[in-house]
Amino acid sequence: MKSFPFLSPLTLSACFPSLTPDTLARAFPFSSMDGPLFAALSGALSHGPDRPACEAQLAELARAPGFCSGLLVSRRWSGGEEPRERVNNRILTPPSPSHPSSHKRIASARDAAPHPVRHLAAVQLKNCVTRGWRGPGPGPASTATAASTSAITNPEKERLRPGLVSLLLSEPDPGVAAQAALALSRAARIDWPRAWPGLIAEIAAAQQQDGSLASRRARLGLHSVLRELAGKRLAVDRRAFAGLAADLLPPVWASWCAETQALVASLPASLEAGLGGGGGDAWLLGLKVVRRLLVSGFQGDGASLEPAAAVVESLPVLIQALQAVCAALAGPAGSPAPSPSAARAAACDAALSLLKSVRKLAEAHPWACLASGTLPAAMAVCGQLMGGADRLAGVASQGAASRSASPPGGQPPSPSWPATAAAVARSAAELATQAM
């Protein structure tokens, strides 16, 4: 029988009721956890003599049509809210667990697949999207050879787009979520805005669910997607990103400012108690999103001499947040050297990201930095940081060392950041010299 690599058994059973369960299983070979794909992933992680053969089989499967569909999986329908699939704008009722279409696939099958297998499946998914999302080229020859290459056809993309978003927003494992965010960003680089216009709005809407897993994962996805889109260099892509930044910055900026106020208010007590806050990673991702929108979403004023109003308004807030974090880190005058703690390491990461944001904005928008009136405050805080660099750098390095044994998917240790403070001080001094 001819294979239908881009259709799931649920879709096939709805469109072709006469198909038997055995026929459906052959038509969608990657849907079974006991199939060759799961065996190849498991064998590629083993240390036995079969590992080279499994790696070769995995490479062969990666060139087969429907490979991404086999990696991007749906959960078994059992208990709780039942996922539903839409075919021709009609919501279909899920089949019973005994139906062959209720098999899990691998990347999101948390209950059946071991963590290493799921992580490898997520890496393979990201690599497959990176290689093949652009799809076959125009013409009969490219279409004929698409099945023998890693190119992903348009029908499969239609099915993968909602699956990529769903996997990211519902994935609790940080490592798998990071790979899902990268896969989503590689697809967005090619599809947004023409083929996937609602992607950013969907992620931004999920970000509004305060404190939920979907909110944290949406921020991770937004950061990855914006980083990928900001790297495009064609004039039409730059204009599209500028329009996106103008629409997206106000809600993102308001949300981040509210989180910053809460962070600054709770920081002294957290440092004194030595406890780390649970929302630090989300706050850092929010700052990176804001920085990406401000740096890449508005034309640099080095040549035009016209500062962007959004950059002028944001710089004082960033400087004030930096001052508050550094004051909390320094502690009262004459106090003994602080001991390392999770909260102090997180505060050092916050100061590092704020310093990087100020430096990037000063480089991309020098006249906006001058018009904001923050040069004296920036130079003062940088001088304070350089004066107490040894004290604070020791805390930062100790905190980084305590995180060096973080689990897979955790953030890498933070670099030493007095050099970043020196770079900010040099940028501020250069701008002050130009203004004189």
Side-chain angles (χ1 to χ4, degrees):
M1 175 192 172
K2 185 178 180 180
S3 175
F4 297 88
F6 310 115
L7 297 177
S8 70
L10 179 58
T11 306
L12 289 173
S13 62
C15 298
F16 307 101
S18 61
L19 294 179
T20 65
D22 292 339
T23 302
L24 290 176
R26 291 195 303 270
F28 200 72
F30 292 125
S31 64
S32 174
M33 288 293 294
D34 299 325
L37 179 55
F38 182 74
L41 289 168
S42 302
L45 293 169
S46 67
H47 299 284
D50 296 335
R51 180 173 180 174
C54 291
E55 291 176 344
Q57 183 185 16
L58 187 60
E60 182 67 24
L61 290 172
R63 293 189 290 270
F67 181 66
C68 281
S69 298
L71 292 169
L72 187 63
V73 303
S74 57
R75 298 174 185 82
R76 185 184 301 275
W77 292 301
S78 58
E81 183 180 355
E82 296 181 335
R84 300 174 182 271
E85 183 163 311
R86 183 181 294 270
V87 176
N88 295 331
N89 293 323
R90 183 166 60 93
I91 302 247
L92 300 179
T93 302
S96 64
S98 61
H99 194 278
S101 66
S102 66
H103 288 302
K104 296 181 182 179
R105 281 170 273 169
I106 295 169
S108 69
R110 293 191 288 271
D111 297 334
H115 173 270
V117 175
R118 294 187 59 247
H119 191 271
L120 178 58
V123 172
Q124 289 287 328
L125 176 64
K126 181 256 297 181
N127 293 339
C128 183
V129 170
T130 302
R131 292 191 305 264
W133 197 267
R134 195 170 295 276
S142 298
T143 304
T145 59
S148 61
T149 65
S150 58
I152 304 173
T153 62
N154 289 331
E156 188 173 9
K157 289 180 185 178
E158 291 292 336
R159 304 194 57 80
L160 289 174
R161 289 186 186 110
L164 287 171
V165 177
S166 176
L167 175 62
L168 172 65
L169 297 182
S170 61
E171 178 53 53
D173 182 80
V176 177
Q179 296 299 321
L182 289 174
L184 184 66
S185 66
R186 305 293 164 76
R189 183 182 181 93
I190 298 172
D191 282 359
W192 188 86
R194 288 179 290 274
W196 202 350
L199 170 63
I200 305 297
E202 183 177 359
I203 301 177
Q207 187 180 222
Q208 303 303 318
Q209 306 174 19
D210 296 339
S212 65
L213 174 65
S215 175
R216 298 193 298 272
R217 294 298 181 248
R219 188 162 293 187
L220 172 63
L222 188 61
H223 165 62
S224 298
V225 169
L226 291 179
R227 179 176 58 188
E228 196 72 31
L229 296 179
K232 303 176 75 171
R233 291 291 177 260
L234 293 178
V236 62
D237 295 324
R238 286 180 173 272
R239 288 194 297 269
F241 191 84
L244 171 65
D247 295 335
L248 189 60
L249 181 61
V252 170
W253 175 252
S255 176
W256 182 83
C257 287
E259 294 176 4
T260 303
Q261 292 178 356
L263 175 69
V264 170
S266 63
L267 190 56
S270 298
L271 292 176
E272 184 177 355
L275 301 176
D281 292 342
W283 181 87
L284 288 173
L285 284 173
L287 177 58
K288 291 178 181 179
V289 169
V290 167
R291 181 171 67 205
R292 186 75 59 183
L293 292 174
L294 290 173
V295 171
S296 303
F298 297 88
Q299 183 180 5
D301 55 20
S304 64
L305 307 183
E306 297 179 0
V311 180
V312 175
E313 295 172 0
S314 64
L315 274 167
V317 179
L318 295 174
I319 293 294
Q320 291 172 7
L322 178 59
Q323 290 173 329
V325 173
C326 292
L329 279 171
S335 61
S339 58
S341 66
R344 194 164 293 277
C348 288
D349 287 340
L352 170 62
S353 290
L354 287 167
L355 283 169
K356 285 183 176 180
S357 299
V358 173
R359 178 168 61 87
K360 292 290 186 180
L361 287 175
E363 292 174 352
H365 304 281
W367 292 103
C369 185
L370 182 64
S372 67
T374 57
L375 279 176
M379 296 178 68
V381 71
C382 288
Q384 294 173 1
L385 288 173
M386 295 306 299
D390 294 337
R391 173 187 175 101
L392 295 179
V395 174
S397 61
Q398 290 171 356
S402 67
R403 294 190 300 275
S404 60
S406 59
Q411 292 186 347
S414 299
S416 179
W417 55 277
T420 306
V424 176
R426 286 196 301 271
S427 299
E430 292 174 358
L431 292 177
T433 302
Q434 293 175 359
M436 291 181 179

